[in-house]
Amino acid sequence: MTIRQWVRPNVLQMAGYTPGEQPQGKPVVKLNTNENPFPPPQPVLDALKAAVDGKLRLYPEPSARPVRQAAGMLYGIDPDQVVAGNGSDDLLTMILRTFVDPGEVVAAPDPTYTLYDPLTTLQGGQFHTVPWKADNTIPVSALVALNPKVIFITRPNAPTGHATPLSEVVRLCKSTKGVVVLDEAYGDFANNSGLPLLANHDNLIITRTFSKSGALAGMRIGLGFMSRDIALQMHKVRDSYNLDKLAQVAAVAALENWDAYEPLIQAIRQQRNHLRNQLNRRGFQVPESQANFLLAQVPQGRRSGKEWLDDLKSAGYLIRYFGADPRLTDKIRITIGTEAEMTGFLQAVDKLLTDN
Ligand SMILES: *Cc1c(COP(=O)(O)O)cnc(C)c1O
């Protein structure tokens, strides 16, 4: 007898998502999971510390209303059009629970965020991909031909960093009979956002996270923006208290003090453009990125992508490598850090380039 007779076949068969490494012990520079290299602004930390008291014995506001109201103020949107998630990954799960029955299709252009596939499988859905077009536009007709219930568009895309034109998102919303999810996990680093499109497209959902620009990955906070009608349905499928009390306090403080984030985001964008130039000068091929990371094709005829991963790790720099995808074996993804971290990283790269 084994447990195999009890576990759902789709769970048995799936590999599960592999998150980027969170190192324990020896200090390294973390350039592997796109966290913010800066701490959250002081008012956010102060609000959190002030909230650690005896009231933690009480349940939090079930729908995270204070967070939805603060988001409504900042983004100029009705709080009833906002749903909060325990990280934006929680929102992705809620979206699949709301719309996808077993056997139904979920689609995305790829390469893309590697979590959509296992989340769809868990829901009993079928995940299908179509490659991005060479000019980074959306393969609209090929996606629509799959007859998907949900289509995920990551913008800026992970792990490539490109931001497909918003006109492409509009074209997709108009062409599909399903729901379009615009994953803006990196939206604050981009030149523009799809939020203004919500007014005219009731099959559009936009997700954002506090884990990257918000410097609060440890708190697990995400926001979803959608029509009031979709929000009503999404509230039914979420965990009853999906945002804990401290996460709500942190989210409200971050939204109310968003000005304090602007210089941090600006510094990251500046380092991103600087690192891109510097890597291109050293024989890497690095396309423009609108996110807080770069996807760099390593110089030909020297060490492989995997060897760069290992050698940089030995030098104290953790980066990300997606060897399972044949299109990405010669590429490495580097999260943008502080100026000092990027200077040190380039020195490590230079040392490896002269060694071999
Ligand atoms: C990081 C990331 C998320 C998840 O963010 P959390 O809020 O930490 O769950 C979602 N989508 C993409 C594309 C991401 O890169």
Side-chain angles (χ1 to χ4, degrees):
M1 289 254 247
T2 73
I3 64 151
R4 303 183 79 85
Q5 60 189 329
W6 303 315
V7 179
R8 295 164 61 203
N10 57 349
V11 175
L12 270 181
Q13 279 154 24
M14 71 186 290
Y17 176 68
T18 313
E21 181 181 350
Q22 293 293 340
Q24 315 288 330
K26 173 168 128 74
V28 289
V29 179
K30 272 199 90 259
L31 307 176
N32 67 330
T33 52
N34 301 339
E35 290 135 323
N36 198 314
F38 301 107
Q42 197 58 42
V44 178
L45 295 175
D46 290 345
L48 265 173
K49 286 176 190 161
V52 178
D53 64 20
K55 290 208 208 79
L56 286 176
R57 71 191 176 79
L58 300 172
Y59 280 108
E61 210 292 323
S63 77
R65 186 186 312 276
V67 178
R68 295 188 295 107
Q69 280 165 345
M73 288 291 284
L74 182 64
Y75 297 110
I77 198 167
D78 180 347
D80 288 344
Q81 289 183 264
V82 184
V83 177
N86 181 24
S88 66
D89 290 347
D90 183 33
L91 287 159
L92 303 178
T93 298
M94 283 154 59
I95 289 166
L96 294 168
R97 276 193 204 159
T98 303
F99 297 105
V100 179
D101 259 332
E104 290 187 324
V105 172
V106 174
D110 83 326
T112 191
Y113 186 37
T114 49
L115 187 67
Y116 305 137
D117 185 345
L119 289 185
T120 302
T121 303
L122 278 175
Q123 195 56 38
Q126 300 179 39
F127 187 70
H128 292 307
T129 59
V130 178
W132 287 100
K133 291 201 188 167
D135 62 355
N136 288 334
T137 56
I138 301 174
V140 171
S141 43
L143 285 170
V144 170
L146 296 167
N147 200 20
K149 281 304 276 300
V150 172
I151 302 174
F152 286 110
I153 301 292
T154 318
R155 185 184 188 276
N157 188 48
T160 59
H162 77 263
T164 198
L166 287 174
S167 56
E168 288 289 290
V169 179
V170 169
R171 203 158 68 87
L172 183 66
C173 287
K174 286 184 174 163
S175 308
T176 179
K177 293 200 179 85
V179 170
V180 174
V181 180
L182 190 62
D183 183 338
E184 290 195 347
Y186 303 100
D188 289 321
F189 302 107
N191 299 341
N192 53 22
S193 159
L195 278 174
L197 304 181
L198 272 183
N200 292 319
H201 301 281
D202 57 11
N203 61 341
L204 178 64
I205 298 176
I206 298 176
T207 59
R208 307 196 114 207
T209 177
F210 287 62
S211 299
K212 279 64 184 242
S213 52
L216 289 165
M219 294 302 302
R220 314 302 304 126
I221 308 159
L223 291 178
F225 301 87
M226 62 207 77
S227 73
R228 243 175 255 108
D229 290 337
I230 291 183
L232 277 174
Q233 303 305 321
M234 294 263 290
H235 278 295
K236 294 188 203 165
V237 307
R238 63 172 169 73
D239 289 349
S240 323
Y241 302 100
N242 66 332
L243 228 66
D244 70 59
K245 189 171 278 191
L246 295 180
Q248 293 192 27
V249 166
V252 169
L255 290 163
E256 288 179 348
N257 293 280
W258 195 256
D259 284 357
Y261 281 97
E262 300 293 353
L264 312 184
I265 292 169
Q266 210 34 51
I268 291 167
R269 287 164 157 238
Q270 196 185 331
Q271 284 305 313
R272 171 186 73 197
N273 300 341
H274 173 71
L275 183 68
R276 180 181 172 219
N277 288 336
Q278 292 298 317
L279 288 175
N280 278 334
R281 279 169 53 178
R282 286 162 171 79
F284 291 79
Q285 282 186 42
V286 192
E288 192 206 345
S289 165
Q290 289 200 29
N292 67 336
F293 55 80
L294 295 171
L295 187 68
Q297 183 180 327
V298 304
Q300 303 280 314
R302 289 166 173 263
R303 52 171 64 66
S304 67
K306 175 73 170 65
E307 286 163 340
W308 276 104
L309 172 81
D310 294 338
D311 291 347
L312 283 167
K313 187 170 179 178
S314 304
Y317 292 87
L318 269 192
I319 56 161
R320 194 84 187 263
Y321 174 66
F322 300 91
D325 185 330
R327 291 162 300 184
L328 301 177
T329 47
D330 61 347
K331 300 184 177 67
I332 55 176
R333 193 192 69 187
I334 308 138
T335 303
I336 304 305
T338 62
E339 184 176 2
E341 287 170 341
M342 295 294 93
T343 303
F345 175 76
L346 281 170
Q347 281 166 359
V349 167
D350 283 337
K351 179 142 192 317
L352 291 174
L353 284 172
T354 33
D355 285 358
N356 162 13

